[in-house]
Amino acid sequence: MDKKQKLGDLRETKKKIWSSLLEHSPVLQSLTRGQLDLDFYRMYLIETCHYTSYNAKNQALVATRKDNLDVHYQKFCLHHAQEEVGHDLMAWHDLQTLGGAWQREFLPRPLAATEALIAYLYWISENGNPLQRLGYSFWAEDSYEYLSPLIEALQKQANLKDSQLTFFKAHHNIDQHHIEEVEQIVLKCAKDHNDWQDIEFVMQATLKLTGLMVDEVFQEYSKMKAGEKFHYQKAFERAQLL
Amino acid sequence: MDKKQKLGDLRETKKKIWSSLLEHSPVLQSLTRGQLDLDFYRMYLIETCHYTSYNAKNQALVATRKDNLDVHYQKFCLHHAQEEVGHDLMAWHDLQTLGGAWQREFLPRPLAATEALIAYLYWISENGNPLQRLGYSFWAEDSYEYLSPLIEALQKQANLKDSQLTFFKAHHNIDQHHIEEVEQIVLKCAKDHNDWQDIEFVMQATLKLTGLMVDEVFQEYSKMKAGEKFHYQKAFERAQLL
Amino acid sequence: MDKKQKLGDLRETKKKIWSSLLEHSPVLQSLTRGQLDLDFYRMYLIETCHYTSYNAKNQALVATRKDNLDVHYQKFCLHHAQEEVGHDLMAWHDLQTLGGAWQREFLPRPLAATEALIAYLYWISENGNPLQRLGYSFWAEDSYEYLSPLIEALQKQANLKDSQLTFFKAHHNIDQHHIEEVEQIVLKCAKDHNDWQDIEFVMQATLKLTGLMVDEVFQEYSKMKAGEKFHYQKAFERAQLL
Amino acid sequence: MDKKQKLGDLRETKKKIWSSLLEHSPVLQSLTRGQLDLDFYRMYLIETCHYTSYNAKNQALVATRKDNLDVHYQKFCLHHAQEEVGHDLMAWHDLQTLGGAWQREFLPRPLAATEALIAYLYWISENGNPLQRLGYSFWAEDSYEYLSPLIEALQKQANLKDSQLTFFKAHHNIDQHHIEEVEQIVLKCAKDHNDWQDIEFVMQATLKLTGLMVDEVFQEYSKMKAGEKFHYQKAFERAQLL
């Protein structure tokens, strides 16, 4: 098995899924048409607060498995978890810079799709091939590369300063070496066809679930703009945005 | 709070989600057009084997929470879990009656959407409002009522005997009193607006995830029929169906 | 392997451990010398409230294992868990009949030995041979047989009515068929030498930990009687017993 | 609340428990009388392999709690867990230097007391006050200071080289800064009387359980020397020591 080749294939698959996601995304089309505003960004940040507050925890969970874990992989998981601690605070910070008198307890329950993403990350961290969670890191750690056109568009349309986009921009700078570390540990630990397959499976599954989350945010945003009841209504009221 | 009224509303919401799901389902449209065959049913049964093998377990998990649980609800969960034990064996039985030399280890990993459903059921069983898992039972226990037109159509098209549909038909007979028990425990235990809301939330979320599972089965089926690589390919080969 | 013989051996080992425990028990010696009073019984009931409130939960936990569980054993665990629900309420009831204005939140943290017993029951329910938890039931379900001389002595010395001993007496009547069910499921499910060995191991370990719990209660009781600071001091004060 | 004072008290309590443990330890008395040999050390190392193989895992588990964790404490747990990874390999290394053809699968199940210690560490890592696990680190990280007389005595009696005592000696050098880090995080995070009390409770409980583990090793050792059946018999046979 040529590991370099396998890694190249995995990168290629990642690119293809992103292309397909971005092409069919109703959000991107709306951004392109100048139809998104701060409220969409607020909703997106709320979901981001939710799922990122669990990322360090489920990453660490892999290292607590009672299976006989590879020592290097176990250390990677703990080290990486440590670096993820507190990243939800960036999303929380950004939300606050957008205006509104936010308090953490105003946040509504995550959307169903966000809960499904969180649940899935816990599931694959606790069950099955311990390596498979690398499939999530494999795309999440360089997602900025793919998301930047959307973020630039959003920044222009909503007239945002960089300091209101720390989750994306500062995070991106912090994470830059992460994707290399992820690729290195994949190369080191993936031993056979199954390992590569499980990593790819989880990469696809979590990218798809993240896409569903963004779609559901967009549905709630559309409800708001149509004057219908929407998921964040009470939260927006409590934050004095409505 | 008028509990009977709340229950009526919950039933109404269930009906609406089913209508919407069935209306937009590519599977139903294919069934209507006579485009589904045994292979689709096989794939569907494989996913059913997977997720139902966890249902008794995550149902019981609610009763193991360290929270201070209502004693009646705790007993309901344990009793209901006991009744769900082994239901995956019906799906497994049905799969075998359709031909092919199946062994359990031939089954591939669940589809991503199936894993997301399983993961979500674990998540809501372990976290948040303990009552919310009733939202899943609330639709799953009388799903036959909504699914029967599809099942009849499938039975005709694929020329199936009742004994090849035990998961749906026998299960349905066994479960008939379950929906009443579920409604009774909801009436007994749901104390405030939050409880009803959490139950409804999980009803919607799990119905939607189940819909996504069926869609993904259909995508794999379509790949097979188009001669492309599909998720169950190796399994079908090992069962000597290809 | 002669299963009946194995069962006989297991019963024999149980008897021996009980004999040894009772022989060396400082509590029994104190009872014999008429040196125990209501306060000891109160302390014992407090610990009993704690550990029995977890018994149904860790019993059910065995049935939630993701291992491939024997269907009969899984049902046994769920059924047995259901019967254990609420048994802590008997100990709680008895505590209240002894006088004092008790509220549940007055109870202090369990003693270290009680926590170790609870922790161990969770550990062996979640890890290792799923059958091993039967080793706990194997002695706990007929413990009254061994404990009755102590209980009679205590009843006399502290001048207790039967209605103040429901945890022991009513519980005993309820549980009478349990030990038979436990022996039956052991006979049905224990397949090889390892199974019998693991069941015996856990029987010994949990009996020993229970003995340590009683010893630690006795140490706290002795501190109280010596006028020293003791674990239940604040609780007794809040219940207006001091 | 004077935190420095509280820390001083905690150190004082630690000293007292150690004194009491060492004074009453049958093992220490045997060492003093020159009655222990390599076999005792082997048995002790086997139990050490077991419980230390879980230490990094249950340490990390604290950081995976769904509670709202203090960010500094969460990072401490992950960092400390990372440093504990693989420490069981030192005990495993030492065991092998003592002779015998050891393979990992020869190791028998941990003794009941060792399992109780492991179980308890998991329990207090997953439940109750998240800070309480610091009570374990508070004594474990500088235990060498208290154990060194025993280790010196053992080293002389069994004629051991330093390279056969890496778990104690190298570990000690690695861990030297740990106790300072533990004291610092206790000072930083313990906010009220309850926090200090829970940390002290777990310090006492885990020291006591560790003492019980050593006692049970000694019991097995005594059985071996008396020619009785002992827990490690098969393992010693497979390692060709018997």
Side-chain angles (χ1 to χ4, degrees), chain C residues 109-110 115 120 132 198 201, chain D residues 109-110 115 120 132 198 201:
Chain C
R109 176 177 188 148
E115 274 195 0
Y120 189 72
Q132 66 188 354
D198 287 335
F201 188 93
Chain D
R109 176 177 188 148
E115 275 195 359
Y120 189 72
Q132 67 189 352
D198 287 335
F201 188 94

Side-chain angles (χ1 to χ4, degrees), chain D residues 10-229:
Chain D
L10 199 63
R11 283 187 192 139
E12 213 44 54
T13 308
K14 172 165 65 176
K15 262 191 202 165
K16 277 187 204 153
I17 309 173
W18 270 114
S19 301
S20 158
L21 265 178
L22 295 173
E23 197 181 329
H24 301 101
S25 159
V27 172
L28 182 63
Q29 288 153 16
S30 292
L31 270 174
T32 318
R33 292 192 211 109
Q35 292 169 336
L36 289 184
D37 61 19
L38 267 193
D39 287 322
F40 174 79
Y41 186 42
R42 280 187 179 109
M43 295 175 187
Y44 180 76
L45 285 171
I46 289 173
E47 299 310 306
T48 303
C49 276
H50 280 308
Y51 82 86
T52 52
S53 75
Y54 291 108
N55 273 357
K57 295 179 180 184
N58 56 51
Q59 172 61 94
L61 209 51
V62 182
T64 70
R65 296 245 208 143
K66 282 165 200 144
D67 317 45
N68 217 347
L69 288 166
D70 177 275
V71 167
H72 293 103
Y73 182 52
Q74 197 181 0
K75 286 192 177 182
F76 167 85
C77 293
L78 293 167
H79 174 69
H80 189 218
Q82 207 183 327
E83 301 218 336
E84 295 293 318
V85 169
H87 282 191
D88 56 309
L89 299 178
M90 291 191 211
W92 178 236
H93 162 273
D94 291 349
L95 177 64
Q96 288 180 303
T97 64
L98 306 179
W102 287 102
Q103 293 181 34
R104 195 82 185 213
E105 68 267 28
F106 293 174
L107 298 197
R109 176 177 188 148
L111 292 174
T114 311
E115 275 195 359
L117 172 63
I118 296 165
Y120 189 72
L121 286 169
Y122 270 82
W123 181 260
I124 54 96
S125 297
E126 279 183 303
N127 301 289
N129 191 334
L131 292 179
Q132 67 189 352
R133 197 185 178 286
L134 290 168
Y136 175 55
S137 304
F138 196 85
W139 72 262
E141 293 296 347
D142 70 348
S143 54
Y144 185 76
E145 200 177 313
Y146 299 91
L147 289 170
S148 59
L150 271 87
I151 295 162
E152 305 299 328
L154 180 71
Q155 184 162 21
K156 260 190 214 157
Q157 278 177 42
N159 200 20
L160 297 168
K161 289 174 235 157
D162 278 9
S163 63
Q164 295 175 308
L165 286 154
T166 65
F167 181 77
F168 288 112
K169 302 215 161 181
H171 200 168
H172 165 57
N173 295 329
I174 295 167
D175 281 4
Q176 246 164 349
H177 62 292
H178 283 190
I179 185 64
E180 287 159 42
E181 287 172 9
V182 171
E183 293 200 345
Q184 275 164 25
I185 199 83
V186 168
L187 280 175
K188 189 184 195 86
C189 295
K191 295 254 153 57
D192 54 28
H193 181 62
N194 270 349
D195 287 343
W196 288 94
Q197 209 172 12
D198 287 335
I199 292 169
E200 187 185 319
F201 188 94
V202 168
M203 177 177 76
Q204 298 210 25
T206 50
L207 249 168
K208 202 171 161 182
L209 286 167
T210 306
L212 290 174
M213 178 184 80
V214 178
D215 290 351
E216 199 172 339
V217 171
F218 184 68
Q219 283 161 31
E220 293 302 321
Y221 173 76
S222 305
K223 286 187 202 166
M224 182 191 183
K225 296 302 158 182
E228 294 167 25
K229 220 183 134 195

Side-chain angles (χ1 to χ4, degrees), chain A residues 3-27:
Chain A
K3 285 187 163 204
K4 292 265 156 136
Q5 176 64 40
K6 285 278 190 188
L7 187 68
D9 293 350
L10 199 63
R11 283 186 193 140
E12 212 45 54
T13 308
K14 171 164 67 174
K15 263 192 203 165
K16 276 187 204 155
I17 309 173
W18 269 113
S19 301
S20 157
L21 265 179
L22 294 173
E23 197 180 331
H24 300 101
S25 160
V27 172

Side-chain angles (χ1 to χ4, degrees), chain B residues 8-241:
Chain B
D9 293 349
L10 199 64
R11 284 187 191 137
E12 212 46 52
T13 308
K14 171 165 67 175
K15 260 191 204 164
K16 276 187 205 154
I17 309 173
W18 269 113
S19 301
S20 157
L21 264 179
L22 294 173
E23 198 180 328
H24 299 101
S25 158
V27 171
L28 183 63
Q29 288 154 15
S30 291
L31 270 174
T32 317
R33 291 192 212 110
Q35 292 169 335
L36 290 185
D37 63 18
L38 266 193
D39 288 321
F40 173 78
Y41 186 42
R42 281 187 179 108
M43 294 176 187
Y44 180 75
L45 285 171
I46 288 173
E47 300 309 305
T48 303
C49 277
H50 280 308
Y51 83 85
T52 53
S53 75
Y54 292 107
N55 273 356
K57 295 179 181 186
N58 57 51
Q59 172 63 93
L61 208 52
V62 182
T64 70
R65 295 245 208 144
K66 282 167 200 141
D67 317 44
N68 217 347
L69 287 166
D70 176 277
V71 166
H72 293 103
Y73 182 51
Q74 197 182 2
K75 286 193 178 182
F76 166 85
C77 292
L78 292 167
H79 174 69
H80 189 219
Q82 207 184 329
E83 301 219 336
E84 295 293 318
V85 170
H87 281 192
D88 56 310
L89 299 177
M90 290 191 210
W92 178 237
H93 162 272
D94 292 350
L95 177 64
Q96 289 179 302
T97 65
L98 305 179
W102 287 101
Q103 292 182 35
R104 195 81 185 214
E105 70 267 27
F106 293 174
L107 298 197
R109 177 180 188 146
L111 292 173
T114 310
E115 274 195 0
L117 172 64
I118 295 166
Y120 189 72
L121 286 168
Y122 269 81
W123 181 259
I124 55 96
S125 296
E126 280 184 301
N127 300 290
N129 192 333
L131 293 178
Q132 66 189 353
R133 196 186 178 285
L134 289 167
Y136 175 55
S137 304
F138 196 84
W139 73 261
E141 293 297 345
D142 71 347
S143 54
Y144 185 78
E145 200 176 311
Y146 298 91
L147 289 170
S148 59
L150 271 88
I151 295 161
E152 303 300 329
L154 180 70
Q155 183 163 22
K156 260 189 212 158
Q157 277 176 44
N159 201 19
L160 298 167
K161 289 176 234 156
D162 277 9
S163 63
Q164 295 175 306
L165 288 153
T166 65
F167 181 77
F168 288 112
K169 300 215 162 181
H171 200 168
H172 165 58
N173 295 329
I174 295 167
D175 281 4
Q176 245 165 351
H177 63 290
H178 283 190
I179 185 65
E180 287 159 41
E181 288 172 9
V182 171
E183 292 199 344
Q184 275 164 24
I185 199 82
V186 168
L187 280 176
K188 190 184 194 86
C189 295
K191 295 253 151 59
D192 54 28
H193 180 62
N194 271 348
D195 287 343
W196 288 95
Q197 208 172 13
D198 287 336
I199 292 169
E200 187 184 319
F201 188 93
V202 167
M203 178 177 76
Q204 297 210 25
T206 51
L207 248 167
K208 201 171 160 183
L209 286 167
T210 306
L212 290 175
M213 177 184 81
V214 178
D215 290 350
E216 200 173 337
V217 171
F218 185 67
Q219 283 161 30
E220 293 302 321
Y221 173 75
S222 304
K223 286 186 201 166
M224 182 193 183
K225 296 303 159 180
E228 295 166 24
K229 222 183 132 194
F230 65 106
H231 183 73
Y232 308 96
Q233 192 154 342
K234 202 182 243 176
F236 275 42
E237 283 167 11
R238 295 176 79 187
Q240 296 166 22
L241 290 165

